[in-house]
Amino acid sequence: MIEFREQDLTGARFERVSLRGSTFTQVALNDASMRAVDLTGVQVRGALFNRCRMRGVELVDIEISGELQNVVVNGVDIAPLVDAELNRRMPDRMRMRPDDSDGFRAAWAILERLWEGTVARASAFPEAALHRSVDDEWSFIQTLRHLNFASAAWVDRMILGNASPWHPLDLPWDEAPGWDGIPWDREARPSLDEVLTVRRERQDRVGRVIASLTDEQLAAEVTRTEPGWPRFDRLRVKECLRVVLTEEWEHRRYAERDLTALEEGN
């Protein structure tokens, strides 16, 4: 097997070449041109398709999960259609992008209620099942560990100013570049109770921030330039909290989906 590691192949030309079964990790394909390529069976995770144009393609049996903005298919922007359908199926979803402090409090109350039910459901499973991956996604416990990381990043670090708020069980997203001083042990197997102990502390802190939130505080800007992540110059508190709401909402949805799959023996 040929391996290419940390090489600059900018401008390379591949013609009548087979790359079947190849693995591409942290590879830049910016502005690449692909013609008459066969992508059957390709799996893509953590990719950016910004400003891509596809012509004369066949999309059959395709599953896409991600953020959609200005996605035009055969002349129709499908992003608003998908958004409207998701809101129809899950009316509370519309509450996850609030504009004022009362809206954030209402959204957080919804998430607390929903997660209480999801954790209760998961607690009925054998511990080993909560470490199982479904379709190569995070296990239930890994999902909670990631949410612990997200609340520490966007509330403890960005809003409250703790430059290094991490717990050894925190879990960044899989495609993250990695940082010194931030834990990242994907293979750790803590118990549900261990992870929930950290989660309750983090959730209580987020809840206190939201409970005392004012509209003026929402509009305020925070800056974090210390080594680590996140690092932003003048990001509004509103945007930090919206990230937390989105993470909580979407990962609970994924967790419920995977718990159902485990119940069905998949």
Side-chain angles (χ1 to χ4, degrees), residues 92 108-118:
D92 283 335
W108 189 248
I110 290 170
L111 288 168
E112 287 188 312
R113 170 175 55 80
L114 292 175
W115 266 110
E116 183 178 359
T118 298

Side-chain angles (χ1 to χ4, degrees), residues 10 21 26 47 74 95 107 117 129 148 151 181-182 203 212 215 220 223 225 260:
T10 300
Q26 294 184 346
N74 292 339
R95 311 284 296 275
N148 287 345
S151 61
I182 297 182
Q203 297 304 84
S212 61
D215 292 346
T223 296
T225 58
T260 296

Side-chain angles (χ1 to χ4, degrees), residues 166-199:
W166 317 114
H167 186 278
L169 293 177
D170 288 346
L171 184 64
W173 68 100
D174 282 347
E175 296 80 20
W179 312 269
D180 291 337
I182 297 182
W184 192 349
D185 185 359
R186 197 183 196 278
E187 304 308 316
R189 291 178 66 87
S191 68
L192 178 61
D193 285 342
E194 286 179 282
V195 175
L196 286 177
T197 296
V198 180
R199 179 157 169 79

Side-chain angles (χ1 to χ4, degrees), residues 3 15 17 30-31 76 111 125 219 222 231 233 245 254:
E3 292 192 3
E15 188 170 345
V17 173
N30 306 66
D31 303 318
V76 178
L111 288 168
F125 283 74
V222 290
R231 296 178 71 176
D233 184 22
L245 296 186
Y254 301 150

Side-chain angles (χ1 to χ4, degrees), residues 225-243:
T225 58
E226 307 93 338
W229 190 88
R231 296 178 71 176
F232 285 96
D233 184 22
R234 300 179 61 183
L235 187 67
R236 287 189 302 170
V237 169
K238 176 190 289 187
E239 298 308 316
C240 297
L241 290 175
R242 277 185 172 180
V243 173

Side-chain angles (χ1 to χ4, degrees), residues 34-39:
M34 300 183 184
R35 293 177 179 271
V37 296
D38 187 348
L39 298 176

Side-chain angles (χ1 to χ4, degrees), residues 40-54:
T40 303
V42 167
Q43 296 191 32
V44 181
R45 291 175 179 267
L48 300 177
F49 283 91
N50 300 339
R51 298 181 302 281
C52 287
R53 302 182 72 185
M54 295 183 281

